[in-house]
Amino acid sequence: MKQANHAPQPLWRRRLPGYAAMGAATLAMALGLHGLMSARTTVAGTLLPLADADAATYGIRAVYQLDENTYYVVGAQKGFQSDVEAGVTLDSTGNVQSVAILAQGETDNLGGQCVDPEFTSQYQGAAPFALAGKAYTVTDPATGTSYAAAGSSETEAPAEDFDPANWRVSDASPEAEATRKMYEAGLTLSALNGQPLDDELAPPLDSSAEAVARRKLYAAGLSKSAQDGEDQASPFADWSAEKQAAYRLEQAKLTTSGEDAGAASADLTEVDALTGATITSTAVTNIVNNSYFYVTEVLSAE
C-alpha cells in the first residue's frame, strides 16, 4: 500500500495557533487593565462643577454627588516622597463614611501602608480628625481658623519627623540636598512654620522703600497700629493671597478667625498615625479634613 506524501506546512501556518493564543491573552490583559482604570476613575454619581479657587484652597481634584445627602471628594496632599490622593465619602453635615487611597508612592512598609483598610477605616464618623498623641492642629483652609486638639500643645511631634535627612531619602539630587540645607537654615516655609520638611519656599518680602519703611516704623513703635498694640496695618507682601484675604475679612469683622478662634482647643476625633510615617498620615488626615470643610462650607452653603 502506497503511503501518501504530505508537503511540509509553511512556518507561519504552524505558528498560527500560538499567535492566536498570544493575541487572545493580550486582548484579555488590555480589557482587564481598562477595567481596573475604569474602576479607579469612574464614580457612580454626578460630577459637580469645581471652581479653580476652591480646588486650590481645599486641595481638591474632583467632587461628585452620590445622592441627595452624600458626596465623594477626591483630594491630594504632599506625603513623604509623593503626592497622596484619596477619595472621601461623606454626608452634607461632614460625617465621613469611608476613605480610599487612590494613588501614592510612599515608602513600602511605612507610608505605603496608608492603603491598608485598617488605617483608612479610622476615618469614619465625625470630622475633623487629629493624629493621636501628635502636635496636630486642624486648620480651615479658607478662613485660617485653627482648632488644636485638646492637650496637643503639651506634646511634640517626634524629632525624626522634622529631620531633613529623612525627607525623600532616595532623592540624592542637588535640588533635594539644597532643600534639606535650606530647611536646616530655616529658609523654607515648612521650617518657618515649625512643620516637617516641605519643598515650598518662603515667599519673598516686599523690598520696596515704602514696605521697608513701614516695617521699620512698626518695629520702632512709631506707627499707629504699633502704638495701639495691633497687627501691622498693611499686610506684609510676603503673605499668601489666602492669608491676605483672611486678614481683610478679620479686619472687617466678617470672620470668626483671630486670637480666640486661633487658640481654640477642641475635642477632635483622633486616629492613630502609621508607625514611622507621620508625614504620610498627616497628608491623608489633611485630605479628609479639607474635604469636610469643603462640603460643610461650600456645598452645604449653596
Side-chain angles (χ1 to χ4, degrees):
M1 185 172 179
K2 191 172 180 182
Q3 192 171 7
N5 256 341
H6 293 288
Q9 287 185 332
L11 181 61
W12 67 269
R13 186 180 294 277
R14 293 200 304 271
R15 292 186 175 176
L16 185 59
Y19 291 148
M22 289 174 60
T26 302
L27 179 60
M29 289 176 63
L31 290 173
L33 179 60
H34 176 74
L36 285 174
M37 293 178 65
S38 297
R40 181 191 178 283
T41 58
T42 302
V43 177
T46 302
L47 180 64
L48 300 180
L50 177 61
D52 291 341
D54 288 337
T57 299
Y58 295 92
I60 291 173
R61 295 183 173 177
V63 57
Y64 299 82
Q65 184 162 9
L66 305 184
D67 57 40
E68 186 177 353
N69 194 48
T70 311
Y71 299 94
Y72 179 78
V73 181
V74 178
Q77 291 286 323
K78 286 185 178 180
F80 180 70
Q81 60 182 17
S82 73
D83 284 345
V84 178
E85 184 180 83
V88 184
T89 303
L90 63 172
D91 63 28
S92 58
T93 62
N95 288 308
V96 176
Q97 298 178 2
S98 66
V99 174
I101 306 301
L102 305 178
Q104 58 86 24
E106 300 295 85
T107 309
D108 290 341
N109 300 321
L110 290 174
Q113 295 182 89
C114 64
V115 300
D116 193 331
E118 186 176 349
F119 172 69
T120 56
S121 63
Q122 296 182 98
Y123 296 97
Q124 292 182 358
F129 295 87
L131 299 177
K134 307 297 179 185
Y136 185 89
T137 301
V138 174
T139 302
D140 184 326
T143 66
T145 304
S146 59
Y147 306 91
S152 64
S153 60
E154 301 172 3
T155 62
E156 294 184 358
E160 61 265 25
D161 288 342
F162 293 85
D163 184 355
N166 290 332
W167 181 73
R168 297 186 183 175
V169 179
S170 60
D171 188 352
S173 65
E175 293 81 5
E177 291 295 335
T179 302
R180 296 186 187 100
K181 290 179 180 178
M182 292 181 73
Y183 181 84
E184 289 179 328
L187 298 176
T188 64
L189 192 61
S190 54
L192 292 172
N193 292 337
Q195 299 170 338
L197 177 57
D198 186 279
D199 56 6
E200 185 177 358
L201 300 179
L205 286 169
D206 182 352
S207 58
S208 66
E210 294 81 5
V212 172
R214 283 198 302 267
R215 289 197 288 270
K216 288 182 177 179
L217 287 169
Y218 184 84
L222 298 176
S223 66
K224 184 177 185 302
S225 55
Q227 292 173 356
D228 293 342
E230 301 173 349
D231 291 335
Q232 189 168 355
S234 179
F236 286 106
D238 61 321
W239 283 2
S240 66
E242 292 80 8
K243 187 173 181 180
Q244 290 192 42
Y247 176 88
R248 293 189 181 101
L249 287 171
E250 184 181 341
Q251 292 300 105
K253 302 186 184 303
L254 296 175
T255 177
T256 58
S257 63
E259 282 190 18
D260 293 339
S265 180
D267 292 326
L268 305 174
T269 305
E270 294 190 342
V271 295
D272 292 324
L274 293 166
T275 303
T278 306
I279 295 175
T280 305
S281 304
T282 300
V284 177
T285 305
N286 285 339
I287 293 172
V288 177
N289 286 339
N290 288 358
S291 299
Y292 159 78
F293 284 116
Y294 178 74
V295 167
T296 57
E297 294 178 347
V298 179
L299 295 183
S300 296
E302 292 178 348

